[in-house]
Amino acid sequence: MQQGMAEEAAILELGAWLDSPAGRYLLAWEQAQLDAAVADVFGFHALQLGWAPLAGLRANRMPHRWIACPTEGAGVHLRCDFDDLPFESNSLDLIVLPHTLETAPDPHHRLREAHRVLRPEGRLMVLGLNPASLWGLRQRAGGRFLPQAGEFIGYRRLRDWLQLLGLELAEARFGCWRPPLQREAWLARWSALDRWGATWWPVFGAVYFLHTIKRVHGMRLVGLAKTSGQRRTAPAVALRRSAQIPPPDHP
């Protein structure tokens, strides 16, 4: 119960921060990365865990796409426990984790749970705030710029976790090099840093995006149907009759 309340408080704090100038700047960069990355990922089932203001699956064409959160809210289709997902093993084609690991009591366990429900050759995409950035430095210095709840996980540390799980890194990007400022005019004044940062100091962007593929070496496809149903899954609550994102409107 306390864990759920803590995560709910973190979500509320994050929602308020995302409505600030810096939050909108970050959200725009992340939306652009996901729109480009998920457009050509094919399959049947896609899931985004958390961060409902970010429509991470809107550019994808899969018939079943859900945004799940621990609590109800705008844009949320399923309410479930992120550390005990209500899906069979090897059942999802695409999972998006937008800062989902940062508020986890055990981020490694949450990552393993996402890996469990992802099918072989499925895609896992992770967004995280970079502690080795101007934003991270200001936060550690007590500047109270970013949301206080949670732990920011370094890029190299997360990359090692992914490799240990057999998730092969297909792509890594950094973004948002402007200083940690909360005034729209000042952020706009420093916009040139986004061009310079990508060339001269890419790994110091405020946020990173990782695109990985689940590799299962020596896998026997015929055995998946026998093993995928053996684990009892946690319940989920569908928040409305059509618990999925409408198909994208393409010309």
Side-chain angles (χ1 to χ4, degrees):
M1 177 68 69
Q2 291 182 349
Q3 175 182 330
M5 292 177 63
E7 187 138 21
E8 182 176 359
I11 291 170
L12 291 173
E13 181 185 18
L14 181 62
W17 185 84
L18 286 175
D19 197 36
S20 70
R24 292 191 294 270
Y25 163 55
L26 176 76
L27 202 63
W29 185 86
E30 294 184 336
Q31 188 69 66
Q33 308 314 303
L34 286 172
D35 283 348
V38 306
D40 295 326
V41 179
F42 300 101
F44 296 96
H45 304 97
L47 175 70
Q48 174 180 322
L49 292 179
W51 269 52
L54 180 67
L57 302 174
R58 71 179 185 183
N60 186 263
R61 297 173 179 269
M62 293 187 198
H64 306 290
R65 292 168 288 139
W66 306 280
I67 294 178
C69 279
T71 60
E72 298 184 19
V76 179
H77 309 103
L78 297 175
R79 191 178 73 225
C80 66
D81 183 351
F82 290 177
D83 297 317
D84 191 12
L85 294 173
F87 298 95
E88 298 290 346
S89 299
N90 307 312
S91 62
L92 302 181
D93 300 280
L94 169 63
I95 300 176
V96 175
L97 303 181
H99 306 277
T100 314
L101 303 177
E102 291 164 358
T103 57
D106 184 349
H108 202 181
H109 169 77
R110 185 166 292 182
L111 187 61
R112 288 197 304 270
E113 181 67 0
H115 176 270
R116 177 187 68 81
V117 300
L118 189 67
R119 72 167 181 82
E121 302 302 314
R123 308 299 179 103
L124 177 72
M125 300 181 184
V126 183
L127 287 158
L129 291 166
N130 182 13
S133 66
L134 289 176
W135 293 26
L137 289 173
R138 176 171 174 177
Q139 188 76 357
R140 290 199 299 275
R144 296 183 62 84
F145 176 69
L146 296 165
Q148 299 299 301
E151 175 189 1
F152 306 139
I153 303 169
Y155 161 73
R156 293 186 183 278
R157 180 185 176 196
L158 179 56
R159 186 186 63 184
D160 290 343
W161 290 358
L162 294 166
Q163 289 176 343
L164 286 172
L165 289 173
L167 289 160
E168 180 181 294
L169 185 62
E171 184 180 14
R173 303 179 197 162
F174 289 82
C176 298
W177 288 272
R178 303 183 200 183
L181 302 168
Q182 278 292 15
R183 293 183 59 183
E184 197 85 50
W186 281 100
L187 281 171
R189 184 170 298 182
W190 289 96
S191 61
L193 287 181
D194 284 335
R195 298 191 302 272
W196 299 342
T199 302
W200 298 106
W201 49 88
V203 297
F204 297 118
V207 61
Y208 55 76
F209 167 73
L210 302 181
H211 176 183
T212 68
I213 304 172
K214 181 178 178 179
R215 302 297 192 191
V216 180
H217 300 289
M219 176 188 66
R220 294 184 62 191
L221 290 173
V222 294
L224 290 180
K226 296 180 180 179
T227 59
S228 62
Q230 292 178 354
R231 184 185 187 277
R232 294 185 63 186
T233 60
V237 177
L239 299 182
R240 54 178 176 269
R241 184 176 300 175
S242 179
Q244 63 184 41
I245 302 172
D249 184 14
H250 293 283

